[in-house]
């Protein structure tokens, strides 16, 4: 009986998998790097209050934050209410006007997210809001947690 | 001399499970890194008023004055009101179903003004704002159900605008008096 030998290619049929971990690690690093959000070191305590009728901020890159709360002092103590923008505490309320105006020029659709401690007094917030009005940044968002 | 004839085993570590480990790590990071969504109450501040200009005139009956003190006591049009009744009263004020003289002429004209003192804690102020926005949410939902038969959140953009025109959200944040 004639026996036909199958012609086989000389090469191996396995897919080399040795590079697979590298590929996966690359993906891993990509996700690790991209998902890290820019965090600010909070110099004030911000314990958000809760509300029911809230909305989500869809576009996160439009948001610029203002933190208001009692200052964290060494030794786990809390000081007076202060305003923090980016990484520094603003002692001069009138400086907020310029800072926010500069930010608005960079991003005209800016939303100011006010992250205010629940025990802070309303007075300081009004002063900040007055500055925001002067800086023409009218869109604000009172940051709150969801009630449920 | 004895020649040791031994087959040398290659000093390789089996790397096939490396991919699994990497995948595990990858999935771990994918799951744990929650991009936290910012939630809050959106507001639009009014433009600054010139000191020379007088505030625009508003008819007394179209304005619901809410005053909150530092202890969370609420005055609505000079009437002490418990927090639970605030929402009801606002809805009644906006809709004015019996056409009372003291309440708003129409939902479009209604303005809710919230005034606090400087010492009011922020949480009380937000609670108050939440009640007012909640009242508007209920009214808009009602209007959406009555006119289109679906909830407000499921309306199309155009219909939503129409409903928003029926109940425009006019909230005024009054400045606290300077001491």
């Amino acid at each position: 009986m004639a026996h036909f030998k199958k012609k086989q290619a000389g090469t191996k049929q396995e897919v080399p998998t040795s590079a697979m971990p590298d590929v996966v690690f690359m993906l891993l690093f990509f996700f690790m790097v991209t998902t890290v959000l820019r965090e600010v070191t909070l110099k004030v305590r911000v314990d958000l209050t809760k509300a029911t009728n809230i909305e989500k901020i869809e576009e996160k890159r439009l948001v610029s934050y203002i933190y208001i709360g009692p200052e964290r002092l060494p030794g786990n103590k809390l000081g007076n209410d202060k305003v923090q923008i980016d990484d520094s505490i603003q002692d001069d309320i009138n400086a907020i006007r310029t800072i926010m105006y500069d930010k608005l020029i960079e991003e005209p659709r800016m939303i100011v997210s006010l992250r205010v401690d629940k025990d802070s007094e309303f007075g300081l917030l009004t002063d900040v809001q007055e500055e925001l009005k002067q800086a023409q940044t009218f869109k604000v968002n009172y940051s709150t947690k969801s009630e449920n | 001399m004895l020649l040791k004839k031994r087959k040398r085993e290659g000093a390789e570590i089996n790397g096939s499970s490396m991919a699994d480990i990497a995948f595990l790590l990858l999935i771990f990071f994918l799951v744990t890194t929650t991009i936290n969504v910012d939630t809050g109450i959106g507001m639009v501040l009014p433009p600054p008023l010139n000191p020379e200009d007088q505030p625009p005139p508003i008819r007394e009956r179209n304005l619901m004055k809410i005053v909150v003190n530092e202890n969370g006591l609420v005055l609505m049009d000079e009437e002490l009101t418990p927090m639970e009744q605030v929402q009801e009263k606002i809805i009644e004020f906006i809709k004015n179903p019996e056409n009372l003289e003291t309440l708003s002429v129409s939902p479009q004209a209604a303005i809710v003004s919230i005034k606090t003192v400087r010492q009011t804690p922020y949480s009380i102020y937000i609670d108050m704002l939440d009640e007012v926005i909640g009242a508007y949410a209920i009214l808009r939902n009602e209007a959406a159900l009555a006119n289109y038969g679906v909830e407000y959140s499921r309306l199309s953009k155009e219909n939503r605008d129409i409903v928003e025109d029926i109940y425009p959200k006019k909230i005024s944040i009054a400045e606290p008096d300077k001491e």
Side-chain angles (χ1 to χ4, degrees), chain A:
Chain A
M1 221 168 113
H3 191 86
F4 290 100
K5 233 187 184 173
K6 251 191 188 165
K7 246 190 201 168
Q8 253 179 346
T11 49
K12 282 183 185 169
Q13 285 192 332
E14 286 142 36
V15 181
T17 52
S18 58
M20 182 110 106
D22 301 335
V23 174
V24 178
F25 267 119
M26 219 158 77
L27 271 173
L28 176 65
F29 286 133
F30 172 75
F31 275 103
M32 278 172 71
V33 170
T34 49
T35 50
V36 166
L37 298 162
R38 207 182 71 103
E39 289 271 331
V40 245
T41 40
L42 279 175
K43 295 203 173 78
V44 293
R45 188 197 70 176
V46 172
D47 195 356
L48 293 174
T49 180
K50 287 178 183 168
T52 10
N53 301 287
I54 50 176
E55 50 194 56
K56 283 179 191 158
I57 302 179
E58 302 290 346
E59 287 184 272
K60 240 191 133 108
R61 57 193 181 80
L62 299 180
V63 179
S64 126
Y65 296 96
I66 295 181
Y67 305 90
I68 302 172
E71 189 182 7
R72 281 175 208 258
L73 298 173
N76 241 341
K77 283 181 204 138
L78 294 170
N80 290 330
D81 284 358
K82 290 281 164 69
V83 182
Q84 183 188 350
I85 298 174
D86 292 336
D87 276 323
S88 57
I89 283 181
Q90 302 293 329
D91 281 314
D92 182 16
I93 291 286
N94 291 320
I96 297 170
R97 190 178 304 191
T98 348
I99 297 167
M100 296 321 282
Y101 187 71
D102 289 345
K103 286 191 179 189
L104 186 74
I105 298 292
E106 271 175 47
E107 177 53 74
R109 291 183 297 152
M110 186 174 80
I111 302 166
V112 180
S113 177
L114 292 161
R115 298 179 79 90
V116 186
D117 189 85
K118 60 180 176 194
D119 295 329
S120 286
E121 287 181 0
F122 184 70
L124 187 59
L125 179 68
T126 344
D127 296 340
V128 172
Q129 277 183 354
E130 195 50 45
E131 288 302 307
L132 291 177
K133 284 181 198 170
Q134 295 293 340
Q136 314 282 314
T137 47
F138 298 132
K139 266 196 206 164
V140 296
N141 186 291
Y142 299 112
S143 206
T144 51
K145 285 185 285 191
S146 167
E147 196 101 58
N148 31 48

Side-chain angles (χ1 to χ4, degrees), chain B residues 91 95 136-147 150 152 167:
Chain B
I91 292 174
K95 281 173 85 174
Y136 272 105
I138 290 170
L139 286 173
R140 285 181 177 180
N141 213 12
E142 257 175 35
L145 281 172
N147 294 345
V150 285
Y152 177 68
Y167 291 115

Side-chain angles (χ1 to χ4, degrees), chain B residues 147-160:
Chain B
N147 294 345
Y148 304 103
V150 285
E151 276 170 39
Y152 177 68
S153 54
R154 295 174 63 190
L155 284 180
S156 66
K157 182 81 184 70
E158 299 87 58
N159 292 346
R160 199 175 284 199

